[in-house]
Amino acid sequence: MSKLEIRDLQVTVGGTQILNGITLTINSGEVHAVMGPNGAGKSTLSAAIMGKPGYEVVGGSVKLDGQDVLAMPTWQRAVAGLHLVMQYPTEVPGVKLSEVLSEALVARHATLPNLNKTINEEAARISFDSELVNRAVNVDFSGGEKKRNETLQLAVLKPKIAILDELDSGLDIDALRDCAKRVEDATNETGMGALVITHYSRLFEELKPDFVHILAKGRIVKSGGPELADELERDGYAAYAVTAE
Ligand code: ADP
Ligand code: MG
């Protein structure tokens, strides 16, 4: 069992306070959805958890199984078991996916007897063209291909806790279904916990949230079960005194 504990997290960007005290605990196998309008601070939350430069934590704590995540460089957070699927995956010219994954496994002191076989099996599982696996990471990929590629990395590396920042942005309905299903499977098969950031509840057709939290203006203003996502789908964010852009 693993546990990611976020306590009263306060974050500034460029001197402006964006997160005003976020408290959230994610256990193995749990799916926590964080929903909110544009500019609420959703990406800031994911960036602060992973230690992206420019996001300054001015208060609170983040612990993974009791270890102080905020004291670690980003690579060590990944080795410790955190994995971010980015809203806008980065293109990495000249570097193949197998090279990225093989280095990531070395950093984890882990070995996979046949990495290329695993990559091909996982690619097939999410209908990701195995031809693309041999090209430079994300370079000239479509939105859907990029998210499939990111999901494949998650499937191979088997993090303890995954953070998905708008997995559903920029991809078509087939890619969304394949990626969301694979993440849901990981929560059941390896007990991965997930922090799922999204605008829209359509992601939840395949990836079932156990808890839904509404983030507005840098605060969690309401938490509940999956029914909260249905309510948002129906009524929007207006009830939370914020406007979606
Ligand atoms: P969301 O992901 O919920 O749409 P973000 O976390 O991206 O929201 O942004 C929250 C607020 O922080 C916005 O007002 C945004 O303009 C600001 N912000 C985020 N990142 C930066 C940055 N790197 N520089 C300046 N402002 C930023
Ligand atoms: Mg965002």
Side-chain angles (χ1 to χ4, degrees), residues 132-203:
L132 295 177
V133 164
N134 296 313
R135 292 205 339 221
V137 171
N138 290 329
V139 175
D140 295 330
F141 284 15
S142 72
E145 287 163 354
K146 283 183 180 171
K147 294 292 171 97
R148 279 193 164 100
N149 191 32
E150 296 288 303
T151 304
L152 198 162
Q153 293 168 42
L154 175 152
V156 173
L157 294 175
K158 299 186 174 29
K160 291 176 181 160
I161 307 283
I163 301 152
L164 313 170
D165 191 1
E166 298 205 27
L167 180 68
D168 46 356
S169 79
L171 86 189
D172 59 47
I173 209 81
D174 290 340
L176 176 59
R177 193 190 50 237
D178 292 339
C179 292
K181 170 85 166 57
R182 185 63 189 87
V183 174
E184 169 75 22
D185 286 353
T187 67
N188 297 322
E189 291 170 13
T190 60
M192 186 183 79
L195 177 62
V196 181
I197 293 168
T198 185
H199 255 327
Y200 303 110
S201 59
R202 62 180 182 174
L203 178 61

Side-chain angles (χ1 to χ4, degrees), residues 15-47:
T16 307
Q17 185 140 352
I18 306 295
L19 296 185
N20 301 303
I22 303 287
T23 296
L24 205 55
T25 299
I26 300 159
N27 292 299
S28 289
E30 291 177 354
V31 176
H32 289 253
V34 171
M35 304 185 72
N38 282 328
K42 303 185 298 298
S43 293
T44 301
L45 177 61
S46 68

